[in-house]
């Protein structure tokens, strides 16, 4: 669904990012506390966008993965906060594919999630534009990546952002820069980063690399708070 996003008149745009919630592991009390915390954060911060950036589901133990994911995003849906979703290495372990999970939230009114191009790795590589409060065109471009689940057996461990996704980012970045100019600041939102440091010209590493390492612009202020393993509340401010 296309929901226009825009900086506020005071020049700010708040993103509440939730990652590694790991809901659905058979511990109902922990799940309830986790979702209550996400609701409290959304109620308190009143974000312009919520981003669920991977490992929302516990993994193989998740009995009803689609229903569980809908339960997670229902917090933002109920409060009419636009939300985006990308998948981590555990989300598709519970019997539903990434495509099925994405289809399961397609009917949510506030969802901005997209499957993205079919000719590169991953399900959920897409761009969200945030318009300036008073000017034409976007002031920020949010790039979301599916970093995959398991690495090839010859490598072991978890997957990472692949070179064709990096190439996609470069193409999209160049295209949008030509269209809108250099004013639109990029913000990169993966679950895990590229395997080889320097793929994007920024600091990143194999495995569960933090999304904050992939913020190339110093204008993003990152505040750490606890919801799941990591949670970042990003307040973007226009220059």
């Amino acid at each position: 669904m296309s929901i226009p996003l825009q900086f506020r008149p005071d020049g700010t745009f708040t993103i509440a990012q939730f990652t590694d919630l790991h809901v659905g592991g058979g511990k109902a009390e922990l799940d309830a506390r986790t979702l209550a915390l996400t609701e409290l954060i959304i109620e308190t911060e009143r974000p312009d966008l919520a981003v669920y950036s991977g490992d929302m589901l516990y993994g193989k133990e998740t009995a009803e993965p689609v229903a569980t994911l809908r339960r997670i995003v229902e917090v933002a849906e109920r409060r009419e906060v636009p939300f985006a979703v990308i998948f981590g290495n555990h989300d598709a372990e519970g019997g539903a594919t990434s495509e099925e999970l994405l289809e399961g939230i397609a009917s949510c009114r506030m969802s901005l999630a997209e499957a993205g191009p079919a000719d590169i790795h991953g399900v959920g590589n897409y761009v969200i534009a945030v318009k300036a409060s008073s000017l034409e065109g976007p002031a920020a471009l949010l790039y979301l990546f599916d970093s995959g689940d398991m690495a090839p057996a010859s490598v072991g461990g978890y997957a990472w952002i692949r070179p064709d996704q990096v190439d996609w980012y470069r193409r999209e970045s160049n295209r949008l820069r030509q269209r809108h100019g250099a004013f639109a600041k990029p913000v990169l939102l993966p679950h895990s980063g590229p395997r080889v440091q320097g793929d994007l010209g920024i600091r990143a590493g194999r495995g569960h690399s933090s999304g904050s390492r992939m913020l190339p612009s110093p204008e993003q202020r990152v505040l750490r708070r606890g919801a799941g393993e990591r949670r970042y509340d990003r307040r973007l401010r226009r220059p």
Side-chain angles (χ1 to χ4, degrees), residues 36-57:
L37 180 56
T38 66
E39 183 149 21
L40 177 62
I41 290 169
I42 288 176
E43 180 180 359
T44 302
E45 301 292 342
R46 299 187 182 279
D48 302 289
L49 175 69
V51 176
Y52 296 92
S53 57
D55 284 0
M56 289 78 69
L57 306 181

Short mmCIF file of all heavy atoms in Angstrom, two decimals, residues 36-57:
data_model
loop_
_atom_site.label_atom_id
_atom_site.label_comp_id
_atom_site.label_asym_id
_atom_site.label_seq_id
_atom_site.Cartn_x
_atom_site.Cartn_y
_atom_site.Cartn_z
N ALA A 36 3.84 -5.78 24.48
CA ALA A 36 3.43 -4.64 25.30
C ALA A 36 4.49 -3.55 25.28
O ALA A 36 4.16 -2.35 25.27
CB ALA A 36 3.17 -5.10 26.74
N LEU A 37 5.76 -3.94 25.26
CA LEU A 37 6.84 -2.97 25.19
C LEU A 37 6.84 -2.24 23.85
O LEU A 37 7.02 -1.02 23.79
CB LEU A 37 8.19 -3.64 25.42
CG LEU A 37 9.43 -2.73 25.37
CD1 LEU A 37 9.30 -1.59 26.36
CD2 LEU A 37 10.69 -3.54 25.63
N THR A 38 6.63 -2.98 22.75
CA THR A 38 6.57 -2.31 21.45
C THR A 38 5.41 -1.32 21.41
O THR A 38 5.53 -0.22 20.84
CB THR A 38 6.45 -3.31 20.29
OG1 THR A 38 5.20 -4.00 20.36
CG2 THR A 38 7.59 -4.32 20.31
N GLU A 39 4.30 -1.70 22.03
CA GLU A 39 3.15 -0.79 22.05
C GLU A 39 3.45 0.44 22.89
O GLU A 39 3.09 1.56 22.53
CB GLU A 39 1.90 -1.50 22.57
CG GLU A 39 0.67 -0.63 22.55
CD GLU A 39 -0.61 -1.42 22.32
OE1 GLU A 39 -0.61 -2.64 22.58
OE2 GLU A 39 -1.60 -0.81 21.88
N LEU A 40 4.13 0.26 24.01
CA LEU A 40 4.49 1.39 24.86
C LEU A 40 5.42 2.35 24.12
O LEU A 40 5.28 3.57 24.21
CB LEU A 40 5.15 0.89 26.15
CG LEU A 40 5.66 1.97 27.11
CD1 LEU A 40 4.51 2.83 27.61
CD2 LEU A 40 6.40 1.34 28.29
N ILE A 41 6.39 1.78 23.40
CA ILE A 41 7.32 2.63 22.64
C ILE A 41 6.58 3.43 21.58
O ILE A 41 6.81 4.64 21.42
CB ILE A 41 8.43 1.76 22.01
CG1 ILE A 41 9.36 1.22 23.11
CG2 ILE A 41 9.23 2.55 20.98
CD1 ILE A 41 10.32 0.16 22.63
N ILE A 42 5.69 2.77 20.85
CA ILE A 42 4.94 3.47 19.82
C ILE A 42 4.03 4.53 20.43
O ILE A 42 3.92 5.65 19.92
CB ILE A 42 4.13 2.46 18.98
CG1 ILE A 42 5.08 1.66 18.07
CG2 ILE A 42 3.06 3.17 18.14
CD1 ILE A 42 4.40 0.58 17.26
N GLU A 43 3.40 4.20 21.53
CA GLU A 43 2.51 5.16 22.20
C GLU A 43 3.29 6.35 22.72
O GLU A 43 2.85 7.50 22.63
CB GLU A 43 1.77 4.47 23.35
CG GLU A 43 0.82 5.40 24.09
CD GLU A 43 0.10 4.69 25.23
OE1 GLU A 43 0.33 3.47 25.41
OE2 GLU A 43 -0.68 5.35 25.93
N THR A 44 4.49 6.09 23.28
CA THR A 44 5.29 7.16 23.88
C THR A 44 5.98 8.02 22.84
O THR A 44 5.96 9.25 22.90
CB THR A 44 6.35 6.56 24.83
OG1 THR A 44 5.69 5.78 25.83
CG2 THR A 44 7.17 7.66 25.49
N GLU A 45 6.60 7.37 21.86
CA GLU A 45 7.39 8.09 20.86
C GLU A 45 6.56 8.68 19.73
O GLU A 45 6.99 9.62 19.07
CB GLU A 45 8.46 7.17 20.27
CG GLU A 45 9.43 6.59 21.28
CD GLU A 45 10.34 7.64 21.88
OE1 GLU A 45 10.45 8.74 21.28
OE2 GLU A 45 10.93 7.38 22.93
N ARG A 46 5.39 8.09 19.48
CA ARG A 46 4.53 8.52 18.38
C ARG A 46 5.35 8.66 17.09
O ARG A 46 5.42 9.75 16.49
CB ARG A 46 3.82 9.83 18.72
CG ARG A 46 2.91 9.71 19.94
CD ARG A 46 2.10 10.96 20.18
NE ARG A 46 1.29 10.84 21.37
CZ ARG A 46 0.11 10.21 21.43
NH1 ARG A 46 -0.37 9.64 20.35
NH2 ARG A 46 -0.56 10.15 22.57
N PRO A 47 5.94 7.56 16.63
CA PRO A 47 6.82 7.63 15.46
C PRO A 47 6.04 7.87 14.18
O PRO A 47 4.84 7.60 14.08
CB PRO A 47 7.49 6.25 15.44
CG PRO A 47 6.47 5.35 16.06
CD PRO A 47 5.83 6.18 17.15
N ASP A 48 6.75 8.38 13.19
CA ASP A 48 6.18 8.56 11.87
C ASP A 48 6.22 7.26 11.07
O ASP A 48 5.48 7.10 10.09
CB ASP A 48 6.94 9.65 11.11
CG ASP A 48 6.91 10.97 11.87
OD1 ASP A 48 5.84 11.59 11.92
OD2 ASP A 48 7.96 11.36 12.42
N LEU A 49 7.08 6.35 11.49
CA LEU A 49 7.23 5.07 10.81
C LEU A 49 7.77 4.05 11.80
O LEU A 49 8.66 4.36 12.61
CB LEU A 49 8.21 5.20 9.64
CG LEU A 49 8.58 3.92 8.89
CD1 LEU A 49 7.40 3.37 8.11
CD2 LEU A 49 9.76 4.17 7.95
N ALA A 50 7.25 2.83 11.76
CA ALA A 50 7.81 1.70 12.51
C ALA A 50 8.46 0.76 11.51
O ALA A 50 7.88 0.47 10.46
CB ALA A 50 6.74 0.98 13.31
N VAL A 51 9.66 0.30 11.82
CA VAL A 51 10.36 -0.66 10.97
C VAL A 51 10.62 -1.93 11.78
O VAL A 51 11.30 -1.87 12.81
CB VAL A 51 11.69 -0.09 10.43
CG1 VAL A 51 12.42 -1.15 9.62
CG2 VAL A 51 11.43 1.13 9.57
N TYR A 52 10.07 -3.04 11.32
CA TYR A 52 10.34 -4.35 11.92
C TYR A 52 11.44 -4.98 11.07
O TYR A 52 11.21 -5.46 9.97
CB TYR A 52 9.07 -5.20 11.91
CG TYR A 52 7.96 -4.63 12.78
CD1 TYR A 52 7.01 -3.77 12.23
CD2 TYR A 52 7.89 -4.92 14.13
CE1 TYR A 52 6.00 -3.23 13.02
CE2 TYR A 52 6.89 -4.38 14.93
CZ TYR A 52 5.95 -3.55 14.37
OH TYR A 52 4.95 -3.01 15.15
N SER A 53 12.67 -4.97 11.62
CA SER A 53 13.84 -5.25 10.77
C SER A 53 14.45 -6.63 10.99
O SER A 53 15.66 -6.77 11.07
CB SER A 53 14.89 -4.15 10.96
OG SER A 53 15.27 -4.06 12.32
N GLY A 54 13.61 -7.63 11.07
CA GLY A 54 14.11 -9.00 11.03
C GLY A 54 14.10 -9.75 12.35
O GLY A 54 14.21 -9.17 13.43
N ASP A 55 13.97 -11.08 12.22
CA ASP A 55 13.86 -11.98 13.38
C ASP A 55 12.74 -11.55 14.32
O ASP A 55 12.87 -11.58 15.54
CB ASP A 55 15.19 -12.08 14.14
CG ASP A 55 16.20 -12.95 13.42
OD1 ASP A 55 15.86 -13.48 12.33
OD2 ASP A 55 17.32 -13.12 13.92
N MET A 56 11.62 -11.17 13.72
CA MET A 56 10.43 -10.91 14.53
C MET A 56 9.92 -12.22 15.11
O MET A 56 9.38 -12.26 16.21
CB MET A 56 9.34 -10.27 13.69
CG MET A 56 9.59 -8.83 13.28
SD MET A 56 10.73 -8.69 11.90
CE MET A 56 9.77 -9.37 10.55
N LEU A 57 10.11 -13.33 14.37
CA LEU A 57 9.64 -14.64 14.80
C LEU A 57 10.76 -15.43 15.46
O LEU A 57 11.94 -15.25 15.14
CB LEU A 57 9.09 -15.41 13.60
CG LEU A 57 8.02 -14.69 12.78
CD1 LEU A 57 7.54 -15.58 11.64
CD2 LEU A 57 6.85 -14.27 13.66
#
